[in-house]
């Protein structure tokens, strides 16, 4: 043991003289004589490093780090590996070791920092597969960090594994879209759009983000090319309808919704959207027509509240329409009845026992809707009428006025009868007997005779020839085969809707689909002028489009998006940039991942001390900042931070740090003493003796023997000419000198 002390004393003597090689020689003797004393080996490594013998130093450090790792002293091992990394930053294996040790110690943020350094290295050297492996480890530690997923996608792109890249992108887009972070979605596509095919759903989230970010016109430019590959895709069409509504293009919105409803007329969400678009387009009449048409569906799907809301909005648009008011009142009564179960059973029973002629069920006229808007029962479902009958109210909900209650009109011209026959729906024809009988009835329209006569070009007095013509038309209808009549009526009735579908395709630039619809109609009506005109229009649009082809460049689409908004998302994807400043990147990393391991402040504190002891002051500062989140360690961290700043030569920052510590609320007397002493030492070393004396005396008020503070005060008083031989040392406040 004496020999060990002798060798250490000899080495210290050489160090005091600045003879580092000789000191190294003495420490080698110590290491050889006492190989288990890792502290001597660590000191030898430090001396070799000071003598610029990096390889030898690294070998000694490696032995020390391995010893600490094997014995479970991970924090000390981390500090040693960090020193090795400082000696040779190119040693990529050190990043691996540091990351693994930080994970074992529970310092996830530090581990991610090392992994990020690895990714930057692999990225710079085009080692993308290795980068992906590291990124997967990062994702396990921080599964919510979407930036890691984005970088993984970039690496897959570099390896031409676009399918894997797209899968990763979708993993990012879904949570961003769910949180409404549209700017980040746009930023993501700004980087990865090239690998997203212009078919399929991969670009659909971009369109939705553009709508959400107030750029529906750009969303439409994204969606139209998608429709070329999937014109019937409901998700694309729904998004397109939403974009048209946001862009206030209500005509195209209605066409798109009608196209969707053609696929599924039972989707009340689409029906509601269509009606609301009619309101937006200031077309309440069309809204009324569709509401009357879809009443039964709302009843069948138990959406009475929504139906009531829509009719309420319709009444605001058409306040003078009695039919709308009565319909709204009837729906309200039904809703109220449903809320009163005690009354519902007897009412329903009364409805079941009632007959059409029972006055109890016919107090209110059946046809409260204008006869021109009277609907025909398409489903045969009697449920809605029964519900209405239960409360004694009849609506125009696909109800037929019994023939016996109608007034037949026999004084009509032949042309009027023919027109009335053409207006019959296909469903009405299907409900007819084997040979269709057509009767035309008159309600309460007082001037119908006059109007019919004017339509026929005849005076009000109907001649025998007119009556004969009527009889002839009726006879013709009686002889029409029941299988032919519905087809004819359906072809006429659906022509307008089919043309709307063609118009939808035309507006989206889907010329082949538009022509397909028109050509299909022309097979049954080859001379129909409106069909021929629509075909010519489609061909004209196609020719114009071929002459003026404009590709939808994504850069152009993004040109109007505010730069400030895009810059706000920069930290989302750019923090892995290889060209980023190392120190700035390090700070950004610490700030973004610090939350992951903030709870383990004790480990950060101890690691900071280990870094400080090894002269790694910048690393120590980072650790003390994290550890300071623990209120119990705050003052210790402030003190150690100030000491590290002094070692780096940043005295101004050190003074500021100590002052900040003294300004803390609820500062204990012991902590105040410590900070005053540290600040006093700093003032003394900085050539400010009066300020130092003030701080030392404040420290001595708590303990005059703390770190020889009494002797320091005496020395300074003598230097300042304030010496008083009668005083043996500081005694409370009486020796306090203020320079303020």
């Amino acid at each position: 043991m004496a020999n060990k002390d002798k060798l250490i004393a000899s080495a210290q003597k050489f160090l005091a003289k600045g003879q580092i090689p000789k000191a190294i020689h003495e420490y080698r003797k110590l290491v050889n004589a006492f190989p288990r004393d890792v502290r001597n080996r660590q000191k030898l490594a430090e001396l070799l490093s000071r003598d610029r013998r990096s390889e030898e130093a690294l070998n000694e450090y490696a032995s020390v780090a391995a010893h600490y790792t094997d014995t479970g002293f991970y924090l000390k091992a981390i500090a040693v590996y960090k020193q090795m990394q400082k000696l040779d930053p190119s040693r990529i294996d050190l990043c691996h070791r540091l990351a693994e040790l930080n994970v074992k110690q529970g310092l996830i943020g530090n581990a991610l920092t090392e992994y990020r350094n690895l990714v930057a290295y692999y990225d710079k050297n085009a080692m993308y597969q290795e980068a992906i492996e590291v990124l997967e480890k990062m994702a396990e530690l921080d599964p919510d960090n979407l930036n890691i997923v984005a970088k993984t996608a970039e690496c897959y792109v570099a390896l031409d594994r676009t399918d894997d890249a797209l899968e990763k992108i979708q993993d990012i887009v879904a949570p961003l879209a769910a949180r409404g972070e549209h700017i980040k979605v746009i930023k993501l596509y700004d980087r990865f759009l090239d690998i997203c095919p212009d078919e399929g759903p991969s670009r659909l989230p971009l369109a939705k983000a553009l709508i959400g970010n107030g750029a529906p016109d750009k969303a439409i430019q994204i969606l139209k090319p998608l429709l070329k590959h999937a014109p019937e895709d409901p998700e694309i069409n729904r998004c397109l309808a939403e974009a048209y509504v946001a862009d206030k293009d209500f005509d195209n919105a209605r066409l798109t919704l009608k196209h969707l409803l053609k696929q599924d007329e039972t989707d009340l969400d689409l029906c509601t959207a269509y009606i609301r678009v009619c309101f937006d387009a200031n077309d309440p009449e069309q809204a009324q027509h569709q509401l009357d048409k879809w009443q039964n569906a709302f009843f069948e799907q138990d959406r009475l509240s929504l139906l009531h809301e829509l009719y309420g909005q319709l009444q605001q648009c058409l306040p003078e329409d009695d039919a709308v008011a009565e319909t709204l009142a009837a729906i309200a009564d039904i809703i109220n009845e449903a809320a009163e179960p005690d009354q519902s059973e007897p009412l329903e029973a009364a409805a079941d026992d009632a007959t059409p002629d029972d006055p109890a069920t016919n107090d209110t006229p059946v046809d409260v809707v204008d006869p021109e808007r009277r609907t025909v029962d398409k489903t045969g479902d009697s449920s809605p009428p029964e519900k209405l009958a239960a409360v004694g109210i009849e609506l125009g909900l696909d109800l037929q006025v019994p023939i016996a209650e109608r007034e037949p009109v026999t004084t009509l011209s032949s042309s009027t009868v023919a027109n009335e026959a053409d207006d019959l729906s296909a469903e009405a024809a299907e409900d007819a007997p084997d040979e269709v009988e057509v009767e035309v009835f008159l309600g309460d329209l007082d001037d119908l005779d006059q109007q019919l006569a004017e339509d026929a070009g005849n005076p009000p007095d109907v001649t025998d020839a007119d009556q004969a013509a009527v009889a002839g038309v009726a006879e013709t209808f009686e002889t029409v085969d029941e299988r032919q009549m519905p087809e004819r009526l359906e072809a006429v009735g659906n022509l307008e809707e089919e043309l709307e579908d063609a118009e939808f395709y035309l507006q989206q630039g889907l010329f082949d689909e538009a022509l397909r619809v028109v050509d299909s109609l022309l097979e049954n009506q080859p001379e129909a002028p409106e069909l021929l005109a629509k075909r010519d229009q489609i061909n004209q649009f196609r020719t114009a489009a071929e002459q003026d082809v404009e590709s939808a460049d994504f850069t152009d689409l993004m040109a109007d998006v505010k730069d400030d908004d895009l810059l706000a998302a920069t930290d989302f994807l750019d923090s892995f940039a290889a060209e980023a400043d190392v120190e700035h990147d390090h700070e950004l990393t610490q700030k973004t991942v610090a939350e992951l391991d903030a709870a383990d402040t004790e480990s950060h504190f101890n690691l900071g001390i280990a870094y400080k002891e090894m002269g790694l002051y910048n690393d120590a500062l980072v650790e003390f900042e994290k550890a300071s989140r623990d209120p119990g360690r705050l003052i210790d961290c402030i003190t150690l931070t100030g000491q590290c700043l002094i070692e780096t030569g940043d005295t101004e920052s050190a003074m500021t740090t100590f002052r900040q510590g003294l300004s803390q609320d609820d500062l204990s007397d012991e902590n105040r003493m410590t900070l005053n002493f540290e600040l006093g030492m700093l003032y003394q070393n900085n050539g400010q003796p009066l300020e130092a004396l003030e701080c030392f005396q404040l420290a001595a008020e708590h303990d005059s023997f703390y770190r020889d503070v009494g002797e320091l005060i005496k020395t300074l008083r003598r230097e300042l000419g304030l010496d008083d031989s009668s005083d043996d040392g500081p005694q409370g406040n009486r020796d306090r000198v203020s320079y303020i």
Side-chain angles (χ1 to χ4, degrees):
M1 185 64 66
N3 187 39
K4 181 178 182 180
D5 292 339
K6 183 178 180 181
L7 288 172
I8 292 175
S10 176
Q12 293 297 328
K13 181 179 67 174
F14 288 129
L15 283 175
K17 295 179 180 180
Q19 298 175 338
I20 295 178
K22 291 184 178 181
I24 290 174
H25 181 71
E26 296 301 309
Y27 269 103
R28 282 201 184 278
K29 291 180 182 179
L30 277 168
V31 169
N32 292 332
F34 306 96
R36 294 186 179 180
D37 192 338
V38 72
R39 292 173 297 177
N40 292 331
R41 190 180 295 275
Q42 184 171 340
K43 186 62 178 180
L44 173 61
E46 292 175 5
L47 293 174
L48 289 168
S49 176
R50 289 173 61 183
D51 202 34
R52 300 182 183 278
R53 295 156 68 174
S54 298
E55 286 300 323
E56 296 178 67
L58 287 169
N59 290 334
E60 298 300 335
Y61 274 133
S63 298
V64 175
H67 170 79
Y68 285 139
T69 301
D70 294 340
T71 55
F73 292 96
Y74 298 135
L75 291 174
K76 291 185 177 181
I78 290 171
V80 174
Y81 278 121
K82 202 71 176 179
Q83 187 70 284
M84 294 174 67
Q85 192 178 59
K86 189 175 182 180
L87 281 174
D88 187 2
S90 66
R91 286 276 299 272
I92 202 66
D93 61 306
L94 297 177
C95 292
H96 278 286
R97 295 298 297 147
L98 281 166
E100 293 168 358
L101 287 169
N102 276 291
V103 171
K104 289 181 178 180
Q105 190 61 37
L107 300 173
I108 305 304
N110 289 10
L112 288 171
T113 298
E114 299 301 331
Y115 280 137
R116 285 166 59 85
N117 293 336
L118 278 171
V119 171
Y121 173 83
Y122 289 139
D123 194 29
K124 183 178 179 180
N125 293 276
M127 302 169 66
Y128 301 115
Q129 184 56 47
E130 291 80 358
I132 290 173
E133 293 172 2
V134 174
L135 288 163
E136 289 175 349
K137 293 179 180 179
M138 295 178 70
E140 292 177 2
L141 297 175
D142 189 7
D144 295 328
N145 191 330
L146 301 180
N147 195 31
I148 295 173
V149 186
K151 188 62 184 177
T152 306
E154 280 189 350
C155 293
Y156 279 129
V157 172
L159 292 173
D160 291 328
R161 295 168 59 180
T162 54
D163 290 342
D164 292 325
L166 280 172
E167 182 179 348
K168 290 295 180 184
I169 292 170
Q170 296 304 317
D171 290 341
I172 305 173
V173 167
L176 289 178
R179 295 196 297 266
E181 298 186 54
H182 306 303
I183 287 293
K184 289 187 176 182
V185 173
I186 296 169
K187 181 74 175 178
L188 186 69
Y189 275 95
D190 189 19
R191 177 169 294 190
F192 293 107
L193 186 74
D194 290 342
I195 68 168
C196 298
D198 58 358
E199 59 185 41
S202 62
R203 297 191 182 193
L204 192 57
L206 170 60
K208 294 180 179 179
L210 288 169
I211 296 171
N213 196 51
D217 54 330
K218 297 179 179 60
I220 293 169
Q221 294 182 54
I222 292 290
L223 291 165
K224 281 187 174 182
L226 297 183
L227 275 181
K228 291 182 179 179
H229 301 281
E232 310 304 322
D233 187 293
E235 190 174 6
I236 296 175
N237 277 286
R238 283 175 184 267
C239 189
L240 182 62
E242 183 182 353
Y244 280 133
V245 171
D247 201 37
K248 300 188 182 304
D249 185 352
F250 301 122
D251 289 339
N252 269 313
R254 283 199 284 188
L255 286 173
T256 308
L257 289 168
K258 256 308 185 52
H259 181 68
L260 282 164
L261 284 166
K262 186 179 178 182
Q263 301 176 30
D264 184 7
E265 288 190 353
T266 64
D267 190 331
L268 288 190
D269 291 331
L270 289 176
C271 297
T272 303
Y274 184 89
I275 293 168
R276 294 194 191 281
V277 169
C278 291
F279 288 139
D280 291 335
N282 197 25
D283 188 359
E285 290 77 12
Q286 179 65 16
Q288 182 182 22
H289 173 73
Q290 295 301 138
L291 267 176
D292 291 344
K293 177 180 177 182
W294 292 327
Q295 282 176 7
N296 275 357
F298 280 91
F299 273 88
E300 291 166 1
Q301 298 185 31
D302 197 20
R303 304 284 290 275
L304 286 180
S305 295
L306 177 58
L307 184 64
H308 184 269
E309 175 193 341
L310 294 174
Y311 266 107
Q313 189 171 354
L314 182 61
Q315 187 184 40
Q316 294 178 5
C317 299
L318 302 173
E320 304 299 326
D321 193 309
D322 294 338
V324 172
E326 292 176 7
T327 303
L328 182 63
I331 297 171
D333 287 343
I334 296 172
I335 294 174
N336 292 335
E337 280 297 316
E340 300 176 4
D342 293 337
Q343 300 179 12
S344 63
E345 291 183 5
L347 286 172
E348 289 175 0
D352 292 337
D353 296 335
T355 63
D357 297 328
D358 191 344
T361 61
N362 290 281
D363 293 340
T364 303
V366 174
D367 285 321
V368 298
V369 182
D370 191 310
E372 293 182 2
R373 295 188 288 103
R374 185 179 302 139
T375 58
V376 180
D377 187 359
K378 295 183 179 181
T379 63
D381 186 357
S382 60
S383 177
E386 289 175 0
K387 294 180 181 179
L388 293 170
V391 293
I393 297 176
E394 294 285 345
L395 295 178
L397 297 174
D398 295 351
L399 301 179
Q400 295 288 333
V401 179
I403 292 177
E405 297 181 6
R406 302 185 188 180
E407 178 186 352
V409 178
T410 57
T411 58
L412 300 180
S413 67
S414 59
S415 61
T416 304
V417 174
N419 290 337
E420 287 288 333
D422 286 340
D423 289 339
L424 288 175
S425 67
E427 289 79 5
E430 291 174 358
D431 290 337
D434 290 349
E435 289 191 355
V436 181
E437 296 181 1
V438 179
E439 291 184 272
V440 183
F441 298 94
L442 175 63
D444 298 326
L445 301 177
D446 297 333
D447 59 345
L448 183 59
D449 286 341
Q450 179 66 34
Q451 184 62 46
L452 292 176
E454 291 175 1
D455 289 342
N458 294 320
D461 296 332
V462 180
T463 64
D464 294 340
D466 291 328
Q467 294 182 3
V470 171
V473 172
E475 181 180 356
T476 300
F477 276 108
E478 291 174 358
T479 59
V480 174
D481 188 277
E482 65 174 328
R483 294 167 298 178
Q484 297 176 356
M485 187 65 175
E487 293 177 359
R488 174 179 176 273
L489 294 177
E490 182 178 6
V492 174
N494 290 342
L495 178 59
E496 183 178 350
E497 291 187 4
E498 293 292 346
L499 279 177
E500 283 186 343
D501 214 30
E503 181 65 20
F504 163 75
Y505 289 128
L506 177 61
Q507 293 300 323
Q508 316 317 317
L510 305 176
F511 306 117
D512 290 339
E513 286 75 10
L515 280 175
R516 175 181 54 77
V517 172
V518 174
D519 290 342
S520 175
L521 294 172
L522 283 170
E523 290 179 2
N524 296 323
Q525 304 178 66
E527 303 301 327
E530 57 268 48
L531 295 178
L532 297 175
K534 179 59 69 176
R535 185 175 63 181
D536 291 341
Q537 183 188 24
I538 294 170
N539 288 327
Q540 291 173 5
F541 272 62
R542 184 200 293 275
T543 302
E546 292 173 350
Q547 293 175 351
D548 186 20
V549 178
E550 295 182 359
S551 61
D553 185 0
F554 185 71
T555 303
D556 295 337
L557 293 178
M558 304 299 296
D560 295 334
V561 178
K562 294 181 180 179
D563 290 342
D564 290 343
D565 290 338
L566 285 178
L567 290 175
T570 299
D571 60 343
F572 168 58
L573 292 175
D574 293 348
S575 55
F576 273 99
E579 65 273 15
D581 179 76
V582 175
E583 289 300 323
H584 173 73
D585 185 62
H586 184 69
E587 287 183 11
L588 177 63
T589 301
Q590 299 302 335
K591 290 178 181 178
T592 54
V593 302
E595 308 301 331
L596 295 171
D597 52 12
D600 196 357
T601 53
E602 189 67 21
S603 291
H604 285 296
F605 182 76
N606 293 329
L607 182 57
I609 292 175
Y611 283 151
K612 179 177 178 292
E613 290 176 351
M614 295 192 68
L616 302 172
Y617 300 115
N618 290 330
D619 296 298
L621 290 172
V622 172
E623 298 306 315
F624 290 140
E625 181 184 357
K626 296 177 183 176
S628 66
R629 298 166 189 234
D630 179 4
R633 284 292 188 188
L634 176 60
I635 302 303
D636 292 337
C637 290
I638 289 175
T639 303
L640 291 168
T641 296
Q643 292 173 357
C644 289
L645 290 169
I646 292 172
E647 293 295 336
T648 61
D650 190 355
T651 56
E652 287 296 325
S653 295
M655 288 181 182
T656 301
T657 300
F658 290 137
R659 292 193 191 105
Q660 287 175 347
L662 287 168
S663 67
Q664 294 293 317
D665 296 333
D666 301 326
L667 194 64
S668 69
D669 291 341
E670 185 174 355
N671 286 331
R672 190 177 301 279
M673 174 190 66
T674 301
L675 289 171
N676 274 310
F677 182 86
E678 292 293 343
L679 188 57
M681 291 295 296
L682 185 56
Y683 280 134
Q684 186 179 34
N685 294 332
N686 204 39
Q688 297 173 268
L690 192 60
E691 291 85 347
L693 179 60
E694 170 75 7
C695 290
F696 286 147
Q697 289 189 151
L698 289 172
E701 288 181 359
H702 179 69
D703 184 356
S704 61
F705 298 99
Y706 177 73
R707 295 174 64 179
D708 297 326
V709 68
E711 293 300 323
L712 290 170
I713 290 174
K714 286 182 179 181
T715 301
L716 285 172
R717 288 175 64 86
R718 283 194 297 268
E719 291 178 2
L720 293 169
L722 301 173
D723 186 38
D724 184 354
S725 57
S726 64
D727 291 335
D728 295 331
Q731 301 293 328
N733 290 332
R734 66 177 181 170
D735 290 318
R736 180 173 178 179
V737 176
S738 176
Y739 57 89
I740 300 176

